[in-house]
Amino acid sequence: MKIREMSTKERAPPVSISPSPWAVAAWVSDALAAIFFALALAQLLLLHIGPQARGGGETGWGWALLLIVAALMRGGAQGMAALLGQRAAAIATAALRARIAPALMMSATARGRIVGEDAELAITGIDRIEPYLARFLPLRHAAILSPLLIALAVVFASWVSAVILLATLIPFGLGMALAGSAAREASEGQFGALARLGGLFVDRVRALPLILSFGAEDRVARHIGVAAQDLAERTLGVLRIAFVSSAILEFFSALAVALVAVYCGFALLELLPFASPERLDFGSAFFVLALAPEYYLGMRRLAAAYHDKQQGEAALAALAHEERKIPDRSSDPARKMATALALSDIVVRHPGGVAIGPVNAAWPAAGLHAITGTSGAGKTSLLRALIGQVPIERGEIRLDAAAADASALTANCSWAGQRALLLPATLRANLLISRWGVSDADALDLLDVLGLGALIAARGGGLDWLVDDRGSGLSGGERRRIGLARALLAPRPILLLDEPTADLDRVAAESIVALLSRTARDRLVVAATHDPLLIAAADGRTVLA
């Protein structure tokens, strides 16, 4: 039985990528303030250029005050729009990262991805979504509303000018649509190249001691160079499209302002080659000319944020693509305490690797069971498949006699691998990842049984001792026992352990075997091992050929 992938309907609803309505409102209010600014400016110009037409007695202090207030409103609106958009984007991306990053890290192997690629996607990729949410999406909504608001204001002064402004939107929209479709494909290709380069770099840095010891620097440098060249070429393609988009915008913006200026000038001078469709005075003409550049201002801002759109949409597409491949780890609450586990003709296969199996096993609700076999037989791969980290090609898993998949099994299992992953945090945080509320005394007692009491006493600080992710100062056996303690403290009925007694002396190994035997009285313990002591203590044994 293959691990079931979640359908779109089954998944938790995605983090909202809609813009902050308050940020949109702030950008639209900037357009509204621009209308008042243009009105005040036109009236002041009219007072100074043609005072006889207005009687010559007006000072214009009221219009000057309106001009200042409108300018302050514009500055405030733009600042608030940026602040509100950034705040909403930070909240949305934090929620997105909290939801998807752990799932990506846990399922990288099952999806055939290197960890570095998923790290690039979960960290840098989600960072690229933030400016898309903060700037581009609010500006896109405002760029629809603001020109209509400007055109509506222009109608009252010159309906012909409003028609000219609206007419230039048609070819502009067609040009931007063509550029946008090309930009989407180019951006997704660039984002994929960037993820590959980042993933390649991260994984090669992790393997740097091995690369140096075997003199493989030149070969690795060539690999990174090829990936970097691919990224550079794709980036240039994205920039070319961005320049074309900007050129389209600037052309139609200049065309709209020029057409309005020509019409207003010829109408005022009565030089139109046809009968004037409306009566246009100096005040109306000044007002229209002041608003004409504002008509395309929202779209100019949108064009300035277009790179954010390309990066953000490419990141969202990549996240959606990988999220569709993440195995469904949701579980039926009624099965949370399932304990009896059976495998029927399970075949496990790493992406591009050889098949392991078929494996058959029946493990009752409690007991200690060993998985044995020669090195490379697939013991670790089988255990990792049971927690969803390696694909199951076919076969059936049964929990308490009911058919299930690895996602349902994960919710019931604690896992301790050969190399325990450590958080850069306190020992307490590392031990109690899935179970808070355990007393310090109980945790310290377990660590003492595992032979770590002397180490903790020597380090000082008890459970507040700080550990780094490399486990600096810890031997392989000590690190492994911290991982084992974490699995034992987790409130789950099934323990999957990979070589729990490796790298230990005989006395320490005997102590851990005795502890596992006691634990197996009320929990199911399945351990992959070569250790004769653990095999002899097991209630059952599954041999992989």
Side-chain angles (χ1 to χ4, degrees), residues 33-111:
I35 294 172
F36 289 108
F37 185 90
L39 177 62
L41 180 63
Q43 294 303 316
L44 286 173
L45 287 173
L46 184 61
L47 285 173
H48 288 81
I49 292 175
Q52 294 82 8
R54 302 294 299 271
E58 268 189 65
T59 60
W61 287 110
W63 294 115
L65 180 61
L66 178 60
L67 186 74
I68 294 171
V69 170
L72 293 175
M73 284 178 59
R74 297 200 70 181
Q78 292 170 24
M80 287 302 297
L83 177 63
L84 294 170
Q86 189 64 45
R87 182 178 298 171
I91 293 171
T93 52
L96 178 60
R97 184 175 282 115
R99 178 169 66 85
I100 201 170
L104 286 175
M105 297 299 104
M106 292 177 64
S107 62
T109 306
R111 291 176 291 110

Side-chain angles (χ1 to χ4, degrees), residues 122-375:
I123 299 172
T124 310
I126 293 178
D127 283 343
R128 291 192 180 94
I129 296 172
E130 188 167 322
Y132 172 69
L133 293 173
R135 295 180 59 207
F136 181 82
L137 284 185
L139 284 172
R140 183 168 69 180
H141 285 68
I144 296 171
L145 298 173
S146 297
L148 297 178
L149 190 62
I150 298 291
L152 181 62
V154 170
V155 164
F156 292 99
S158 169
W159 67 266
V160 176
S161 298
V163 170
I164 293 173
L165 292 174
L166 291 171
T168 59
L169 277 180
I170 298 173
F172 168 77
L174 291 175
M176 292 300 289
L178 291 174
S181 61
R184 181 181 298 108
E185 182 178 348
S187 296
E188 289 178 359
Q190 183 209 25
F191 188 84
L194 183 62
R196 286 191 294 273
L197 177 60
L200 183 65
F201 185 77
V202 168
D203 281 86
R204 294 307 181 267
V205 168
R206 291 174 62 193
L208 192 58
L210 181 64
I211 292 169
L212 293 175
S213 64
F214 283 90
E217 302 96 320
D218 291 341
R219 178 168 168 269
V220 171
R222 285 195 301 272
H223 288 170
I224 294 176
V226 169
Q229 181 63 31
D230 180 47
L231 174 61
E233 291 174 358
R234 292 180 184 275
T235 301
L236 286 175
V238 171
L239 291 175
R240 280 192 291 269
I241 295 171
F243 289 141
V244 169
S245 301
S246 296
I248 293 172
L249 174 62
E250 293 300 326
F251 173 77
F252 284 105
S253 175
L255 179 64
V257 174
L259 288 175
V260 169
V262 169
Y263 166 75
C264 290
F266 277 43
L268 288 174
L269 296 173
E270 298 182 353
L271 295 176
L272 290 173
F274 49 83
S276 179
E278 62 183 356
R279 181 175 178 81
L280 193 65
D281 58 28
F282 281 102
S284 298
F286 290 155
F287 177 65
V288 169
L289 288 173
L291 276 183
E294 297 289 340
Y295 184 74
Y296 273 95
L297 180 60
M299 284 169 275
R300 285 173 178 266
R301 289 170 175 161
L302 193 64
Y306 198 73
H307 186 66
D308 297 334
K309 170 188 182 293
Q310 293 173 320
Q311 296 285 349
E313 289 187 347
L316 285 170
L319 283 169
H321 178 71
E322 292 305 320
E323 192 176 15
R324 282 193 293 270
K325 298 190 294 183
I326 295 174
D328 182 2
R329 296 184 181 276
S330 61
S331 59
D332 183 349
R335 293 189 188 170
K336 286 272 183 169
M337 297 309 295
T339 52
L341 175 62
L343 311 180
S344 177
D345 295 325
I346 290 290
V347 175
V348 175
R349 187 189 299 272
H350 283 277
V354 298
I356 298 166
V359 178
N360 292 279
W363 297 315
L368 175 59
H369 300 273
I371 299 175
T372 64
T374 59
S375 295

Side-chain angles (χ1 to χ4, degrees), residues 412-430:
N412 293 278
C413 291
S414 290
W415 161 256
Q418 291 190 39
R419 181 175 175 80
L421 297 177
L422 299 177
L423 302 173
T426 64
L427 181 59
R428 179 185 291 102
N430 274 278

